[in-house]
Amino acid sequence: MTDNRQNVAMGYIKGVFGVKGWLKVAANTEYSDSLLDYPEWQLSKDGQRLSVTVETGKVVNGELQVKLVGIDDREAAFALRGYTIEINREDFAPTEEGEYYWADLVGMTVVNTEGIVLGKVDNLMETGAHDVLMISGEYGRKLIPFVSQYIGKVDTENKTITADWGLDY
């Protein structure tokens, strides 16, 4: 049986805390406790996959600490170090008009207003003021601020972004 669901990497297990199976988690989310919104996690590392259930979690001094069901001692927790935490894309909350998950933007083709393909979004970067699309393509690496001044249309159905951005910028 194949699993066609799209899982999105949302962080990783960076260490253990205490002796009762608590884990330290590095979350790749805007708010570190956002991962607690998802009770079921897929863990992956070196081709191994595990399904786990979050028992409880908390943020302590800006660090996410999580207790998983069935992970009850330091040894069991230590064995999970380095695993990537993945969430099924179908489980994400709906976005508001004009809002997008980074995971949905990565892989989209960026075309400028002259119809020239600038490349594909391979990552995003947070600058504090706004997010920046990181694009790679035939014309090299481009960094385009993800703001309405430069971004015209985001077509999620056709996986394209129209940008008011020249080749020489």
Side-chain angles (χ1 to χ4, degrees):
M1 181 172 99
T2 58
D3 187 356
N4 294 327
R5 299 179 306 167
Q6 178 191 6
N7 285 335
V8 178
M10 302 286 280
Y12 66 94
I13 298 172
K14 65 181 186 176
V16 299
F17 177 76
V19 295
K20 296 184 178 181
W22 282 79
L23 300 162
K24 294 180 182 180
V25 171
N28 299 337
T29 55
E30 186 174 2
Y31 305 104
S32 53
D33 62 350
S34 295
L35 274 176
L36 298 177
D37 294 341
Y38 307 98
E40 301 295 323
W41 294 357
Q42 298 297 313
L43 303 181
S44 66
K45 178 181 174 185
D46 301 330
Q48 292 184 346
R49 299 191 62 75
L50 303 169
S51 292
V52 296
T53 302
V54 176
E55 186 176 311
T56 188
K58 59 189 175 185
V59 176
V60 178
N61 297 328
E63 177 180 76
L64 181 61
Q65 297 176 356
V66 175
K67 172 76 175 67
L68 301 176
V69 172
I71 305 298
D72 297 319
D73 60 44
R74 190 173 180 85
E75 273 185 52
F78 194 80
L80 297 177
R81 275 187 28 181
Y83 271 81
T84 299
I85 299 163
E86 298 176 349
I87 304 296
N88 185 327
R89 174 60 186 90
E90 293 174 3
D91 293 338
F92 286 18
T95 57
E96 298 291 323
E97 180 77 26
E99 288 184 342
Y100 307 94
Y101 285 109
W102 281 16
D104 294 338
L105 298 174
V106 171
M108 284 191 169
T109 300
V110 180
V111 180
N112 72 9
T113 53
E114 289 84 49
I116 299 168
V117 175
L118 299 176
K120 287 194 179 286
V121 177
D122 58 15
N123 207 343
L124 283 96
M125 173 173 58
E126 189 176 353
T127 65
H130 51 262
D131 297 335
V132 175
L133 298 175
M134 301 170 76
I135 299 159
S136 295
E138 182 182 342
Y139 302 102
R141 190 107 170 117
K142 304 263 182 221
L143 300 176
I144 303 176
F146 193 68
V147 295
S148 60
Q149 180 180 352
Y150 302 113
I151 303 300
K153 181 178 185 203
V154 177
D155 183 346
T156 53
E157 195 171 307
N158 294 307
K159 299 199 172 294
T160 59
I161 299 171
T162 304
D164 187 5
W165 202 260
L167 289 178
D168 53 350
Y169 292 9

